C-alpha cells in the first residue's frame, strides 16, 4: 500500500509532479487526485470521485479496486478501467492500460510505467523524438513547397474564372448576332429553294413524259411487228388458228394451246384487228411470246456424216459430263426462244442535263444552302463552348478553386496487370495491359471527405456494372505532395476501388514543430 506522499512520488518525473504535462490526457479522477493533495490526507477516509463509496484511506493503492471509477487505485493495476499516463518528455505522451503498469515490461519510452517493478528500462524518448522530428520536418518542408504551388493554383484559378466569365459574356453577345444571321440565311435559303424546286420538278416531269412517250412508241412498234408475224395470211386480222403454233402462250400449263385458249386470248373472238390486238391481246402475251426470228438456227449438217456420230470407246467416261452439259443447254433453251429485250429495257436512260435557266436557280440555291450551313455550324460551336464553360464554372474546385488545375487532365498508374487512369472531375478507368477493353470504374460524383475535411476525398460512381453485382465505384483519397500523381490503387471491397492521389492542392500550412529541448514533441 502506498501513502498519498508515496503515490505522488511514484507519479512524479525526476522528483517533481508534472501535473501540467499530464493534465490534457489524464482521466478526470486522476487529474483531481493529483491536483488536490487533500485527496491524499491519510487522516481522513477516502471518497470515490463518483461518490459511490467511502473507504478507509489505508485501502487506497492497496492493489484492490474498491471504487467503480477506479479512483482509489491511481498507482496500481488493480482496476480494469484504469489508465496510466506516460509523459514521455521529448516524444509524444500516451496512455497505457493500468494493467501494464509495473509488469516488468517498459511500455512508456520514459520508463515511468515501471517505477516499482525493478525492471531495467532505458529512456528512449529523446531518440524517438529526434526521428519523429526529422519525419515531421520533411513533411513540413513538403507542405511548405506544396503550399507555394497551391497559392499559384489559387491565383491561376481566380484569373481563369474571371476570364471564363468575360468569355461567357462575349459568347452570349456573339450568339445573338449569329442567331440573327442564321435566321436571315434560313429565309434566304428557303426563298432560293422554292424556284429551284419548281424548275427541277418541271424538268423532271417533262423528261418523264418524254420517256413514257418514247417507251409507248417502242411498245407500239413492237406490237405491230408481232401482229405482222402472227398474221400469217396478211389479211389484217389475227385469228385463233394463227396462234396455235405458239405453245408458249399456253394458259392452263398443259404444254399446248387449244382453240378455246386461243379464242380466250383474243377476248372470246375468233379474230381481232390490229387495233384490238394492240389494246387487249398484246398486253397479255408480250411477256410469253417468242418470235420465230429469235430462235437460233441449227448448225448445218455436212453431207456424208451422221447427225449423231458414234462416240469413241475411250471417251465413254465423259458421257456424264456431256449429258450434264446437255441438261444445262436444255435449261437455257427458253432464253434462246425469248424475245431479246430492246435497248430501252436494258439501259435506264439518264435524265438530261438541266437547261441554263434551271442551272442558274440551282447554283443560287446551293450558295444559299452553304451560307446557311456555315452559319448554323458556327451557332452550334458557340452553344457547345458556352455549355462547356458553364459546366466547368459550376464545378466545386475547392474553397479557393485550388483544384481547378486538375480539370481536363488525366493521370495514370501502371501495375503488373492494368493501367489505371484518373481524370479528375470526369471518370476513372481500368484497362488490361494485354488485350481487353477499357472498364469504367466510376464517373465524377462529389467530394466525399469527412465533415472536417470535405476536400480530402473524391467519389466516382455509376461505373460499369459487375457480373451479378453493383456498379463499380472509386474512392480517391487526396494527400499533400509536391507532384500530382496517383500512387496506388486497390479493391478493398468487390467492385469498390480505392486510389491514393497526391497533389499540392491538398496541402495545408504546416504546424510549427516544437524545439528539441521541449518536453513534448
Amino acid at each position: 500500500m502506498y501513502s498519498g506522499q508515496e503515490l505522488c512520488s511514484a507519479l512524479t518525473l525526476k522528483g517533481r509532479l508534472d501535473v501540467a504535462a499530464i493534465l490534457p490526457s489524464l482521466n478526470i479522477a486522476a487529474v483531481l487526485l493529483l491536483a488536490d493533495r487533500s485527496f491524499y490526507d491519510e487522516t481522513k477516509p477516502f471518497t470515490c470521485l463518483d461518490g459511490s463509496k467511502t473507504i478507509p484511506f489505508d485501502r487506497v493503492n492497496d492493489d484492490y479496486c474498491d471504487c467503480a471509477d477506479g479512483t482509489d487505485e491511481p498507482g496500481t493495476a488493480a482496476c480494469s478501467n484504469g489508465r496510466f499516463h506516460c509523459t514521455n518528455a521529448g516524444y509524444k505522451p500516451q496512455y497505457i492500460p493500468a494493467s501494464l503498469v509495473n509488469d516488468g515490461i517498459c511500455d512508456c519510452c520514459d520508463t515511468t510505467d515501471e517505477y516499482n517493478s525493478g525492471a531495467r528500462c532505458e529512456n528512449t524518448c529523446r531518440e524517438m523524438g529526434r526521428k519523429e522530428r526529422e519525419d515531421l520536418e520533411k513533411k513540413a518542408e513538403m507542405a511548405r513547397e506544396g503550399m507555394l504551388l497551391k497559392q499559384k493554383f489559387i491565383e491561376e484559378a481566380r484569373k481563369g474564372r474571371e476570364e471564363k466569365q468575360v468569355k461567357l459574356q462575349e459568347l452570349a453577345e456573339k450568339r445573338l448576332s449569329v442567331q440573327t444571321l442564321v435566321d436571315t440565311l434560313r429565309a434566304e435559303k428557303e426563298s432560293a429553294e422554292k424556284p429551284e424546286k419548281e424548275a427541277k420538278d418541271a424538268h423532271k416531269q417533262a423528261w418523264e413524259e418524254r420517256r413514257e412517250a418514247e417507251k409507248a412508241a417502242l411498245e407500239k412498234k413492237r406490237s405491230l411487228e408481232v401482229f405482222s408475224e402472227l398474221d400469217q395470211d396478211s389479211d389484217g386480222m389475227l385469228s385463233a388458228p394463227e396462234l396455235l403454233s405458239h405453245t408458249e402462250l399456253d394458259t392452263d400449263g398443259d404444254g399446248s394451246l387449244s382453240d378455246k385458249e386461243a379464242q380466250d386470248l383474243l377476248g372470246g373472238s375468233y379474230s381481232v384487228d390490229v387495233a384490238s390486238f394492240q389494246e387487249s391481246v398484246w398486253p397479255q402475251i408480250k411477256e410469253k411470246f417468242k418470235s420465230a426470228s429469235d430462235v437460233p438456227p441449227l448448225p448445218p449438217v455436212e453431207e456424208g456424216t451422221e447427225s449423231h456420230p458414234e462416240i469413241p470407246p475411250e471417251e465413254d467416261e465423259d458421257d456424264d459430263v456431256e449429258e450434264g452439259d446437255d441438261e444445262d443447254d436444255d435449261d437455257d433453251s427458253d432464253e434462246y426462244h425469248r424475245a431479246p429485250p430492246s435497248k430501252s429495257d436494258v439501259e435506264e436512260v439518264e435524265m438530261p442535263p438541266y437547261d441554263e435557266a434551271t442551272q442558274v436557280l440551282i447554283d443560287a440555291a446551293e450558295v444559299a444552302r452553304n451560307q446557311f450551313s456555315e452559319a448554323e455550324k458556327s451557332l452550334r460551336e458557340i452553344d457547345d463552348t458556352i455549355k462547356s464553360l458553364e459546366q466547368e464554372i459550376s464545378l466545386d474546385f475547392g474553397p479557393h478553386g485550388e483544384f481547378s488545375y486538375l480539370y481536363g487532365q488525366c493521370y495514370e498508374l501502371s501495375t503488373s496487370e492494368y493501367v489505371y487512369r484518373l481524370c479528375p472531375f470526369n471518370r476513372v478507368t481500368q484497362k488490361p495491359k494485354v488485350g481487353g477493353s477499357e472498364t469504367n470504374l466510376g464517373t465524377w460524383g462529389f467530394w466525399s471527405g469527412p465533415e472536417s475535411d470535405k476536400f480530402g476525398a473524391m467519389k466516382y460512381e455509376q461505373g460499369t456494372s459487375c457480373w451479378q453485382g453493383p456498379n463499380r465505384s472509386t474512392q480517391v483519397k487526396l494527400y499533400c505532395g509536391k507532384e500530382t500523381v496517383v500512387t496506388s490503387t486497390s479493391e478493398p471491397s468487390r467492385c469498390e476501388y480505392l486510389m491514393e492521389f497526391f497533389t499540392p492542392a491538398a496541402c495545408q500550412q504546416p504546424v510549427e514543430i516544437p524545439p528539441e529541448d521541449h518536453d513534448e514533441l
Side-chain angles (χ1 to χ4, degrees):
M1 181 187 74
Y2 300 103
S3 66
Q5 175 113 16
E6 291 171 327
L7 174 62
C8 291
S9 228
L11 296 178
T12 299
L13 180 63
K14 296 183 180 179
R16 65 184 174 84
L17 184 63
D18 196 353
V19 176
I22 63 176
L23 185 62
S25 53
L26 277 174
N27 61 51
I28 208 165
V31 170
L32 289 177
L33 282 170
L34 291 172
D36 189 353
R37 298 297 182 88
S38 64
F39 256 72
Y40 299 97
D41 189 348
E42 298 180 26
T43 63
K44 297 179 182 179
F46 177 79
T47 301
C48 302
L49 186 61
D50 61 4
S52 62
K53 187 184 293 186
T54 300
I55 59 175
F57 194 83
D58 60 3
R59 290 167 62 180
V60 172
N61 276 339
D62 63 350
D63 210 22
Y64 181 84
C65 192
D66 296 289
C67 298
D69 59 5
T71 53
D72 65 312
E73 299 295 320
T76 74
C79 297
S80 60
N81 58 344
R83 291 192 300 164
F84 184 85
H85 180 265
C86 304
T87 304
N88 292 343
Y91 188 53
K92 296 183 290 190
Q94 70 178 118
Y95 264 124
I96 64 170
S99 59
L100 300 180
V101 175
N102 290 322
D103 63 351
I105 300 174
C106 291
D107 298 289
C108 302
C109 67
D110 63 3
T111 75
T112 54
D113 60 312
E114 299 301 318
Y115 61 87
N116 199 41
S117 69
R120 294 184 179 182
C121 300
E122 182 182 353
N123 190 324
T124 59
C125 289
R126 294 293 176 185
E127 180 62 20
M128 294 174 66
R130 184 185 64 78
K131 291 180 179 179
E132 182 77 4
R133 185 173 282 102
E134 288 178 358
D135 291 340
L136 289 175
E137 285 175 351
K138 288 179 181 177
K139 292 180 180 178
E141 179 60 26
M142 183 176 65
R144 281 190 287 269
E145 292 182 20
M147 280 300 296
L148 292 176
L149 292 172
K150 182 176 180 178
Q151 292 301 324
K152 178 183 176 182
F153 295 153
I154 290 174
E155 181 61 21
E156 289 176 352
R158 184 188 62 78
K159 291 181 179 178
R161 188 177 182 85
E162 290 176 356
E163 290 172 359
K164 290 180 179 66
Q165 294 286 7
V166 171
K167 189 173 182 180
L168 270 177
Q169 183 63 35
E170 292 174 351
L171 286 171
E173 294 173 359
K174 184 178 180 181
R175 189 189 185 285
L176 289 175
S177 61
V178 174
Q179 181 66 66
T180 302
L181 177 62
V182 167
D183 294 339
T184 300
L185 293 176
R186 179 186 288 109
E188 292 178 0
K189 177 180 78 74
E190 293 172 353
S191 177
E193 286 178 336
K194 185 177 179 181
E196 175 202 36
K197 184 177 183 303
E198 292 174 352
K200 290 173 73 174
D201 288 347
H203 178 86
K204 183 179 180 181
Q205 183 179 357
W207 169 66
E208 289 177 345
E209 290 174 353
R210 184 168 64 253
R211 187 176 60 171
E212 288 300 319
E214 291 173 354
K215 288 172 68 176
L218 287 172
E219 190 70 22
K220 183 176 181 181
K221 178 183 178 183
R222 174 63 176 158
S223 66
L224 287 173
E225 291 173 351
V226 172
F227 183 86
S228 298
E229 181 179 340
L230 292 174
D231 184 14
Q232 298 172 8
D233 56 7
S234 302
D235 62 351
M237 297 293 290
L238 175 61
S239 62
E242 290 174 319
L243 289 176
L244 297 180
S245 61
H246 289 270
T247 57
E248 75 274 9
L249 302 179
D250 171 37
T251 58
D252 60 9
D254 62 357
S256 63
L257 187 68
S258 65
D259 290 335
K260 184 176 184 312
E261 287 176 314
Q263 289 190 31
D264 289 340
L265 289 174
L266 299 178
S269 302
Y270 178 77
S271 62
V272 295
D273 59 14
V274 66
S276 299
F277 173 80
Q278 289 177 320
E279 181 180 351
S280 60
V281 180
W282 175 240
Q284 297 182 67
I285 69 172
K286 65 180 180 179
E287 297 298 330
K288 294 182 178 182
F289 178 77
K290 299 170 185 176
S291 174
S293 61
D294 298 332
V295 180
L298 292 174
V301 180
E302 296 181 6
E303 293 182 6
T305 61
E306 298 181 6
S307 59
H308 296 283
E310 185 178 335
I311 299 174
E314 63 270 19
E315 297 181 4
D316 288 348
E317 61 193 27
D318 296 330
D319 287 349
D320 292 340
V321 177
E322 292 182 4
E323 289 175 7
D325 292 342
D326 290 342
E327 289 177 4
D328 292 340
D329 292 341
D330 291 342
D331 292 339
D332 296 336
S333 61
D334 286 347
E335 298 298 327
Y336 286 111
H337 295 296
R338 290 184 182 275
S342 64
K343 186 176 180 180
S344 62
D345 293 332
V346 176
E347 298 179 3
E348 182 67 26
V349 180
E350 292 185 1
M351 187 169 63
Y354 294 108
D355 58 75
E356 185 176 350
T358 301
Q359 192 60 51
V360 168
L361 294 174
I362 293 173
D363 293 343
E366 189 63 24
V367 170
R369 278 191 290 270
N370 290 337
Q371 290 176 341
F372 171 75
S373 295
E374 287 297 319
E376 197 174 40
K377 180 182 177 183
S378 297
L379 184 62
R380 285 196 302 270
E381 289 174 350
I382 292 172
D383 286 338
D384 291 343
T385 305
I386 289 174
K387 183 179 178 181
S388 178
L389 284 173
E390 288 177 342
Q391 180 182 4
E392 184 176 351
I393 290 174
S394 68
L395 289 171
D396 185 356
F397 290 129
H400 307 289
E402 57 266 36
F403 294 99
S404 63
Y405 85 99
L406 299 173
Y407 186 76
Q409 305 298 317
C410 292
Y411 305 89
E412 291 186 351
L413 173 67
S414 181
T415 66
S416 58
E417 295 183 69
Y418 301 99
V419 174
Y420 294 90
R421 186 176 175 87
L422 168 64
C423 301
F425 308 103
N426 188 356
R427 64 177 187 158
V428 181
T429 60
Q430 173 197 66
K431 187 174 183 180
K433 280 190 169 180
V434 181
S437 58
E438 190 175 73
T439 301
N440 184 358
L441 302 186
T443 55
W444 167 249
F446 51 90
W447 291 102
S448 58
E451 190 173 335
S452 59
D453 186 20
K454 172 185 173 183
F455 300 100
M458 293 174 162
K459 184 70 173 181
Y460 293 80
E461 52 191 359
Q462 295 303 314
T464 305
S465 61
C466 287
W467 172 253
Q468 294 184 338
N471 290 85
R472 289 174 171 82
S473 63
T474 302
Q475 180 88 344
V476 179
K477 288 191 175 181
L478 279 70
Y479 299 95
C480 172
K482 293 185 290 184
E483 297 180 356
T484 306
V485 60
V486 178
T487 59
S488 69
T489 303
S490 59
E491 189 178 359
S493 300
R494 182 170 179 258
C495 304
E496 294 181 359
Y497 299 82
L498 177 64
M499 271 188 173
E500 291 188 347
F501 184 50
F502 282 75
T503 166
C507 293
Q508 303 296 332
Q509 196 66 42
V511 296
E512 194 66 31
I513 301 175
E516 247 185 272
D517 58 350
H518 199 277
D519 284 344
E520 296 180 3
L521 182 63

